[in-house]
Amino acid sequence: MRVLVLGGIRSGKSHHAEGMLAEAGAVRYLATGPSPDGDDSWSVRVDAHRNRRPPHWSTVETSDVATQLHADPMAPTMVDDIGGWLTAAMDRRDAWTGGSVTADVEALCRAVDGFSGPLVLVSPEVGLTVVPATAAGRRFADELGTVNQRLATLCDRVVLVIAGQPLAVKEIR
């Protein structure tokens, strides 16, 4: 079962996604966000996520999600989050000012499509907000919207979390 969990900032999407794998035993948690460095409020957020996870879950901090998924395509896995992954890919490819993340998106989609174990992907939903005021912000929103759409087609389920409440968007029975 592959599930895409979407939601806004502080919507409860990560907490909901964690609950989806609570019975899976050992879970590989792929954390895509940067490690906090001098940002106290970011450190608090990262610590809250860490402290909420069961101690038997393993955490891998990585921006190379495709390689991690290919490495063990059967292990119950949670990716939190696709927005962090995309930010790192855009940095690597200089996509903020014209570079392309197409190859990265294709690699991620191939890895998700080939994944056979339980997989929960968490991603910000960008379609419910104002159009960003900067060119870089619009580029990120456009790219993330496209990635979310691609992942939604590959997933068996898509859930939108609003105010901690999950809404089924797509269900394959």
Side-chain angles (χ1 to χ4, degrees), residues 85-158:
W85 168 84
L86 180 60
T87 298
M90 290 180 75
D91 287 346
R92 258 191 330 272
R93 304 289 187 194
D94 196 28
W96 302 103
T97 57
S100 174
V101 292
T102 300
D104 301 85
V105 172
E106 292 299 326
L108 176 65
C109 289
R110 279 192 306 276
V112 168
D113 193 37
F115 199 84
S116 52
L119 176 63
V120 179
L121 306 164
V122 177
S123 188
E125 173 50 57
V126 294
L128 300 174
T129 187
V130 298
V131 175
T134 66
R138 288 188 298 275
R139 179 99 191 234
F140 177 80
D142 290 348
E143 294 287 352
L144 186 57
T146 299
V147 171
N148 284 347
Q149 290 179 47
R150 297 273 313 271
L151 293 174
T153 64
L154 297 171
C155 287
D156 305 301
R157 294 182 64 210
V158 177

